[in-house]
Amino acid sequence: MFNTEPANKAISNKFIKSDSQMLNQIYGTDDVVPYWIADMEFPVASPITQAMQDLVHRETYSYEFDSETVFKAIASWNKTRHGLNLNPTHFVQVPGVLSAIALLIREFSEAGDSVLIQTPVYHQFRRLIESAGRKSVNNTLKIEDEHYVMDFVDFEHQLKHGNVKIVLLCNPHNPVGRVWKKAELEQLVAIARKYQTLIISDEVHGDIVFEGVAFTSITELDYDNSISIIGSPAKNFGLNSIANGYIYTDNTELKDKIKATVNSMSLDHSNAFTTNATIAAYQQGEKWFDAFLTYTQKNRNWMLNFLQVNLPGIKVFAPEGTNQVWLDFTGLGLQSAELKTLLSQKSKMALTPGTWFGEPDENFYRMNFAAPLEQIKASFELLLAEIEKANQ
Ligand SMILES: Cc1ncc(COP(=O)(O)O)c(C=O)c1O
C-alpha cells in the first residue's frame, strides 16, 4: 500500500537533490529541505519492489526485453485511466524521456532550424534543443485570470515566420501546472496543421491530474504530424532512475522512421529491471497510484489554503496536474537577493528558481510537493514565521 514514510534517510543523502556540493552552489547552503527536483519522497508500490526482489533473487540477468508485455500494459493503463486507444505495436522504446526528445529533434529537424517551446518550461528542453545545434524560440505563456494560457497569436506568428520545424509541447505543463484542455490543444493543432509543423508532446506527467481535471493526449487529436512521448513510469511510479521512455505515434510512417533510427543505435534494448518494474507498475500499481494521487492532492489543497489565509502576498498558481507548484513572491516586496535568503537560508526551502525555466522575473520559484505533508507544513510554517519576524 502507499506509504507516506519518507524514503530511507541514509540513502537519501546520496540522491542528487541532497548533494551537499550542488546545494551549496545553488542555494549557498546545504541545510535545506530539497523541493527542487521533480521526484517523489515515497517508497514505490510494493508490486514493483516484489518484482525487483524476485529478479535479484533469481541471480540471472539475461537478454529479456519483453517490450510486447510492457507496451500492452501501458496501452491498457491509458485506456482505463484516460480512455485512450493506443495501439501496442506503435510504441518505440527509448532510454528515457529526455533522450527521446534529443533523438526526435535530430530526426525531424536540421541544424539551424528552430524548435518552439512555451516558456516558462522545463529547463532541459532548451538545453536539448541548443545542444543539438537547433535554435529554441519562445512562445511565452500568458497569465489570464490567475492562470496560464497559450498565446495563439504569437504561436501562429512564430510558425509563419520563425523557421519552426518542431513544436515541443509540455502537457501537463511543468512548471506552471496546467493540464491543457482539449479545446486549447485543438486550437494549437489547427495552427500547426496550417503550417505542417510537427508536434512532439512530452506527456510524462500525464497521469498526475487532480480531481475534476481530464488529461488529453495529443494522440487524441487526429493530427497525423504528431508524436507523443507518452511517458515513462518515472513521475507516476517514482521510477526516476530506472525508468525507460516510451514514444508513441499513430502515424505508421513516423513510427517506422523512429523505430529504425532507435534500432540502428540499439537504444531499444531495455534491461531486466526496468522491464519487470514497468510491467509490475502498470499491471498492479493502480491502487497504490490512486492513493499517491489522493495524498499529493491533499498536499496541494493544504498549500493553497495555507497561502491564501496566511500569506496572500505569495501568489500560487493552483496546479491542475503535476506535483509541482509555481509560486510568485512579488507581493512580498523583496529584492531578489533578499528573497533568496528568505527562502533558502532562513526558511530552509530549496525551491527551483523560475529563471531556470526561462522566466525572466526572479520572483518566481517552483516547488515539488510529492513529499510528506508534515514536512511541507513545517516548511511553510517556518517561512511564515520568518516573514512575520522580518515585518516586526
Ligand atoms: C516535463 C519533463 N520531461 C522529462 C523529464 C525527465 O524525464 P526522464 O528522466 O525520463 O528523461 C522531466 C523530469 O522532471 C520532466 O518534468
Side-chain angles (χ1 to χ4, degrees), residues 142-150:
K142 300 188 296 186
I143 299 175
E144 264 174 23
D145 298 330
E146 307 280 310
H147 79 313
Y148 281 84
V149 292
M150 294 187 194

Side-chain angles (χ1 to χ4, degrees), residues 38 95-99 101 122 125 170 172 174 202 204-205 232 234-235 240 243-245 366:
V97 175
L98 295 184
S99 45
I101 295 172
Y122 182 49
F125 281 12
C170 195
N174 174 9
D202 177 339
V204 71
H205 296 275
S232 75
K235 305 296 163 197
N240 293 284
N244 276 330
R366 185 194 76 175

Side-chain angles (χ1 to χ4, degrees), residues 92-380:
V92 183
Q93 172 144 14
V94 279
V97 175
L98 295 184
S99 45
I101 295 172
L103 185 135
L104 293 172
I105 288 172
R106 283 167 177 79
E107 185 72 38
F108 295 106
S109 68
E110 306 285 336
D113 286 343
S114 296
V115 178
L116 180 140
I117 52 175
Q118 295 180 304
T119 46
V121 74
Y122 182 49
H123 58 299
Q124 302 284 5
F125 281 12
R126 181 188 304 279
R127 182 183 70 80
L128 293 176
I129 294 165
E130 293 179 356
S131 54
R134 276 63 168 169
K135 276 202 289 241
S136 63
V137 298
N138 294 348
N139 168 225
T140 307
L141 298 173
K142 300 188 296 186
I143 299 175
E144 264 174 23
D145 298 330
E146 307 280 310
H147 79 313
Y148 281 84
V149 292
M150 294 187 194
D151 183 341
F152 290 111
V153 174
D154 177 70
F155 182 71
E156 173 145 18
H157 181 83
Q158 305 266 17
L159 261 49
K160 195 169 179 184
H161 302 290
N163 192 29
V164 174
K165 292 289 158 22
I166 299 171
V167 170
L168 184 50
L169 180 70
C170 195
N171 181 34
H173 191 98
N174 174 9
V176 306
R178 280 298 318 279
V179 178
W180 301 115
K181 289 193 168 57
K182 192 162 190 186
E184 293 174 296
L185 293 174
E186 278 169 349
Q187 210 172 335
L188 185 91
V189 162
I191 300 169
R193 200 189 291 278
K194 198 162 147 190
Y195 300 96
Q196 270 309 299
T197 314
L198 175 70
I199 299 179
I200 297 174
S201 181
D202 177 339
E203 301 180 350
V204 71
H205 296 275
D207 286 328
I208 306 172
V209 291
F210 299 120
E211 220 163 59
V213 180
F215 166 66
T216 307
S217 166
I218 200 75
T219 60
E220 288 175 74
L221 286 234
D222 196 25
Y223 180 44
D224 231 22
N225 206 8
S226 71
I227 300 166
S228 144
I229 301 165
I230 205 76
S232 75
K235 305 296 163 197
N236 44 4
F237 286 106
L239 295 175
N240 293 284
S241 54
I242 51 168
N244 276 330
Y246 304 100
I247 298 176
Y248 183 88
T249 175
D250 281 316
N251 182 326
T252 307
E253 210 178 304
L254 291 182
K255 183 259 295 172
D256 288 344
K257 204 161 182 241
I258 299 164
K259 218 169 190 151
T261 301
V262 169
N263 182 262
S264 72
M265 298 183 203
S266 283
L267 290 173
D268 47 357
H269 282 197
S270 173
N271 68 64
F273 281 102
T274 197
T275 299
N276 286 285
T278 304
I279 294 169
Y282 286 105
Q283 284 185 349
Q284 300 171 64
E286 186 153 30
K287 253 168 100 174
W288 177 93
F289 179 72
D290 282 338
F292 163 73
L293 201 54
T294 304
Y295 187 88
T296 57
Q297 174 154 313
K298 206 166 75 187
N299 288 1
R300 164 196 181 272
N301 294 348
W302 182 88
M303 285 186 301
L304 295 182
N305 183 58
F306 183 87
L307 290 172
Q308 193 186 15
V309 172
N310 300 293
L311 289 166
I314 302 173
K315 193 195 274 179
V316 48
F317 293 88
E320 297 167 340
T322 81
N323 286 144
Q324 317 306 311
V325 62
W326 187 236
L327 301 162
D328 173 8
F329 293 86
T330 308
L332 295 184
L334 299 173
Q335 297 295 320
S336 52
E338 288 172 328
L339 177 60
K340 196 174 164 189
T341 305
L342 169 72
L343 295 173
S344 32
Q345 316 269 337
K346 295 185 175 166
S347 311
K348 306 194 182 304
M349 294 172 83
L351 308 183
T352 323
T355 49
W356 287 20
F357 307 108
E359 169 57 58
D361 188 332
E362 293 183 346
N363 287 302
F364 285 81
Y365 282 82
R366 185 194 76 175
M367 175 179 174
N368 172 48
F369 58 89
L373 182 56
E374 287 314 309
Q375 177 192 305
I376 292 175
K377 282 183 179 173
S379 291
F380 276 104

